[in-house]
Amino acid sequence: MSSAAPRVPWAGGGGITGALLDAARGLFRDPATLPPWLFYDARGSELFEEITRLPEYYLTRAEREIFETYAEAILEAAGRPSLIAELGAGTAEKTEILLRTAGRCRYVPVDVSEAAMAVAVERIRASLPEVDVRPVVGTHLDVVPIVATGAWLLVFIGSSIGNFDDDEAVALLSAMPADRLLLGTDRKKDPDVLIRAYDDAAGVTAAFDLNLLVRLNRELGTDFALDRWHHEARWDDARSRIEMHLVTSGQEVTVPGLGSRIFAPGESIHTESCHKYDREHVERILRRSGFVREVTFTDAAGRFDVHLARRAPPR
Ligand code: AVJ
């Protein structure tokens, strides 16, 4: 049943339908998994925007504070790059703060959600005409062929790297021919605070998680019974990560083209991992990826970090 393909969140490829069917193969693994890039259809992108405004979801506010406070210092540390590329740019709201300070430059946002990015591109072109915006609809690796090796800044913020385990993060960052990297990471903190951030009182994160099943029903013709699945956020201390799961009260699910699977009551689909980092952990990932950390910017409450790293000299 299971293919030998590595479970890499950014391994899309082969067009969205092929990628979707490929993603659905994870439903037949043990434990069942779905890749986090699948969250971001039009509705999912909308729900994610809603998440960033939730009182419990401090990440976006903390990182925005860092950009508002340190934009000038970040650009200085980055060597005033003329080319800035961003992985998973989304609405690019925080990056716009940086671009405003940067002035004349080229900006290459990359995102799987064309809708979310179109809004961002319009907005930035209108408010910052001196920025040459060249969007790329695709997965992270699609940025590689369009930027030359050398003096450019790779922006990978929002703790998006948290979706990857260390080996996957190293594989991704190592593949990026950038000489500077701006990396946003969420800090390890009180598990109760973390769990609330991923299981909010208003149920927006639950709707975001369940939207995966809505999407698979619509786009692949699966028959998930939505009332038989609920969202759960769990803290795994050993792995230093939040795990999002869709837990079932029991259902046999059919995936057209792939077969069917009986999910027993209490079984779950692991839909996302969100790793939380201390300084040593970040430095280890950077070092393994060929980067060295130069400066770290932190919000006043000490919840979130933005690191500026530089390509390590070859040894
Ligand atoms: C976009 C991956 C950074 O992990 O915090 C938010 C996604 N999932 N709430 C995160 C997410 C549930 C988010 N990232």
Side-chain angles (χ1 to χ4, degrees), residues 4-228:
R7 199 181 67 77
V8 181
W10 37 271
I16 200 71
T17 310
L20 214 65
L21 194 65
D22 224 45
R25 292 181 204 283
L27 294 171
F28 296 88
R29 296 201 187 99
D30 272 302
T33 59
L34 287 172
W37 60 260
L38 211 59
F39 284 124
Y40 302 95
D41 63 359
R43 179 65 184 143
S45 298
E46 218 170 81
L47 285 165
F48 179 68
E49 284 317 302
E50 220 176 300
I51 287 173
T52 65
R53 293 189 291 267
L54 290 169
E56 297 98 330
Y57 195 78
Y58 59 87
L59 288 80
T60 311
R61 278 187 299 279
E63 197 178 40
R64 188 187 307 120
E65 176 196 316
I66 295 168
F67 276 74
E68 279 165 353
T69 311
Y70 298 111
E72 186 57 42
I74 290 170
L75 285 166
E76 184 65 41
R80 310 220 162 257
S82 55
L83 175 60
I84 299 176
E86 178 172 13
L87 304 182
T91 63
E93 185 226 318
K94 288 161 289 181
T95 313
E96 190 176 353
I97 303 170
L98 206 64
L99 294 171
R100 176 165 298 118
T101 308
R104 186 169 300 280
C105 64
R106 173 170 293 179
Y107 174 52
V108 180
V110 183
D111 204 287
V112 288
S113 172
E114 186 163 10
M117 207 164 46
V119 175
V121 169
E122 284 309 298
R123 197 190 66 237
I124 294 170
R125 282 185 177 147
S127 73
L128 302 171
E130 67 280 17
V131 176
D132 176 19
V133 188
R134 307 283 183 97
V136 174
V137 176
T139 58
H140 293 149
L141 285 181
D142 290 321
V143 77
V144 175
I146 59 120
V147 287
T149 306
W152 58 285
L153 173 67
L154 177 68
V155 175
F156 195 30
I157 57 174
S159 205
S160 298
I161 191 142
N163 277 173
F164 301 78
D165 67 27
D166 286 11
D167 288 350
E168 292 167 343
V170 168
L172 175 66
L173 295 179
S174 300
M176 296 293 154
D179 70 342
R180 316 272 179 139
L181 166 68
L182 192 65
L183 184 69
T185 57
D186 192 21
R187 279 200 193 172
K188 193 168 179 174
K189 55 180 66 66
D190 179 355
D192 291 339
V193 172
L194 290 170
I195 288 183
R196 276 197 292 274
Y198 291 90
D199 193 6
D200 60 281
V204 180
T205 308
F208 176 72
D209 206 1
L210 284 160
N211 181 59
L212 280 178
L213 306 185
V214 177
R215 180 176 188 182
L216 290 181
N217 281 353
R218 183 183 63 240
E219 295 185 30
L220 276 187
T222 51
D223 56 356
F224 284 101
L226 296 177
D227 60 347
R228 302 197 72 78

Side-chain angles (χ1 to χ4, degrees), residues 140-311:
H140 293 149
L141 285 181
D142 290 321
V143 77
V144 175
I146 59 120
V147 287
T149 306
W152 58 285
L153 173 67
L154 177 68
V155 175
F156 195 30
I157 57 174
S159 205
S160 298
I161 191 142
N163 277 173
F164 301 78
D165 67 27
D166 286 11
D167 288 350
E168 292 167 343
V170 168
L172 175 66
L173 295 179
S174 300
M176 296 293 154
D179 70 342
R180 316 272 179 139
L181 166 68
L182 192 65
L183 184 69
T185 57
D186 192 21
R187 279 200 193 172
K188 193 168 179 174
K189 55 180 66 66
D190 179 355
D192 291 339
V193 172
L194 290 170
I195 288 183
R196 276 197 292 274
Y198 291 90
D199 193 6
D200 60 281
V204 180
T205 308
F208 176 72
D209 206 1
L210 284 160
N211 181 59
L212 280 178
L213 306 185
V214 177
R215 180 176 188 182
L216 290 181
N217 281 353
R218 183 183 63 240
E219 295 185 30
L220 276 187
T222 51
D223 56 356
F224 284 101
L226 296 177
D227 60 347
R228 302 197 72 78
W229 296 84
H230 72 272
H231 166 73
E232 247 179 62
R234 305 172 183 165
W235 171 246
D236 182 331
D237 197 60
R239 291 189 165 103
S240 193
R241 70 188 195 190
I242 287 282
E243 287 187 4
M244 304 220 306
H245 288 262
L246 288 166
V247 186
T248 185
S249 55
Q251 192 199 347
E252 178 169 3
V253 175
T254 300
V255 185
L258 294 183
S260 52
R261 170 171 182 168
I262 296 170
F263 287 93
E267 267 197 283
S268 75
I269 304 168
H270 180 190
T271 55
E272 189 173 36
S273 296
C274 312
H275 289 81
K276 305 301 166 184
Y277 303 86
D278 55 29
R279 182 68 55 86
E280 293 67 37
H281 192 175
V282 172
E283 287 186 336
R284 190 163 61 243
I285 289 172
L286 288 172
R287 197 175 324 111
R288 289 180 57 199
S289 308
F291 288 95
V292 279
R293 188 186 63 84
E294 290 202 310
V295 211
T296 296
F297 304 91
T298 306
D299 67 304
R303 294 166 296 182
F304 199 94
D305 294 313
V306 173
H307 315 272
L308 194 281
R310 198 189 178 114
R311 172 80 54 202

